[in-house]
């Protein structure tokens, strides 16, 4: 899938959004409506303001080198406006989630195989299965709140240092997969084609019972 996204020949803002969904796995709406004022590329930090987050609190996100490079390239396209991912018809409106999902359909993935929101489920699964990172750091990166009010009161850290290391590892890991690392073959195939080589598992969002609030 990563190689397919890199070869996407549609709107450049859509391609960049899909690349960043894989790297950062934010909520699609939080990425699509991102404003350039939220990014400090020199410090490699994206701060999503509380008014735009589901949990209604600021959410800081570390930016790995690969994400900074993508955003730096986007500045030459949309940097004169406010929106990072402005629509093709109006610079005052962001691309829609339907646009991202339509791009995935154009790449050959069905709605049962890949959705914009599904990048979050895939990243969470792979990071947890790697056993390199604490569940708290993964959940903090996803922007989830602990449903236990007492625990929330005493655990106000955002696990920043671990998340920074985790996102760096994750971005480098995706690079390895993209350039010929271990791949998985999808059982799905388009008519007249061979099975696709996948560099990520299917990214269909799945509901799982977790101890934290998920979305």
């Amino acid at each position: 899938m990563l190689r397919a996204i890199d070869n996407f020949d549609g709107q450049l803002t859509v391609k960049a959004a899909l690349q960043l969904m894989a790297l950062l796995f934010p909520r699609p709406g939080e990425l699509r409506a991102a404003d350039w004022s939220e990014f400090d590329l020199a410090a490699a930090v994206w701060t999503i303001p509380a008014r735009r987050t589901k949990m209604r609190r600021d959410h800081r996100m570390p930016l790995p080198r690969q994400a900074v490079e993508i955003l730096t390239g986007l500045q030459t396209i949309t940097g004169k406006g406010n929106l990072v991912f402005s629509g093709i018809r109006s610079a005052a409106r962001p691309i829609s989630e339907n646009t991202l999902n339509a791009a995935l359909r154009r790449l050959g993935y069905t709605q049962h195989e890949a959705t914009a929101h599904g990048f979050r489920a895939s990243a969470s699964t792979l990071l947890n299965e790697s056993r390199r990172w604490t569940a708290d750091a993964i959940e903090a990166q996803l922007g989830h709140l602990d449903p236990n009010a007492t625990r929330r009161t005493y655990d106000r850290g955002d696990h920043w240092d671990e998340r920074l290391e985790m996102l760096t590892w994750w971005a480098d890991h995706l690079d390895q997969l993209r350039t010929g690392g271990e791949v998985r073959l999808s059982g799905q195939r388009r008519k007249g084609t061979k099975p696709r080589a996948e560099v990520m598992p299917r990214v269909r969002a799945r509901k799982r019972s977790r101890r934290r609030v998920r979305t």
Side-chain angles (χ1 to χ4, degrees), residues 53-67:
T53 66
K54 185 169 184 178
M55 300 307 175
R56 292 297 181 261
R57 65 175 187 177
D58 289 353
H59 182 47
R60 288 197 310 157
M61 191 172 294
L63 298 174
R65 169 184 55 81
Q66 294 88 332

Side-chain angles (χ1 to χ4, degrees), residues 20 24 39-41 43-46 61-68 71 160 164 167-168:
L20 291 171
L24 307 176
F39 291 90
D40 184 341
L41 297 185
V45 177
W46 173 23
M61 191 172 294
L63 298 174
R65 169 184 55 81
Q66 294 88 332
V68 172
L71 289 163
W160 182 260
L164 176 59
L167 265 288
T168 300

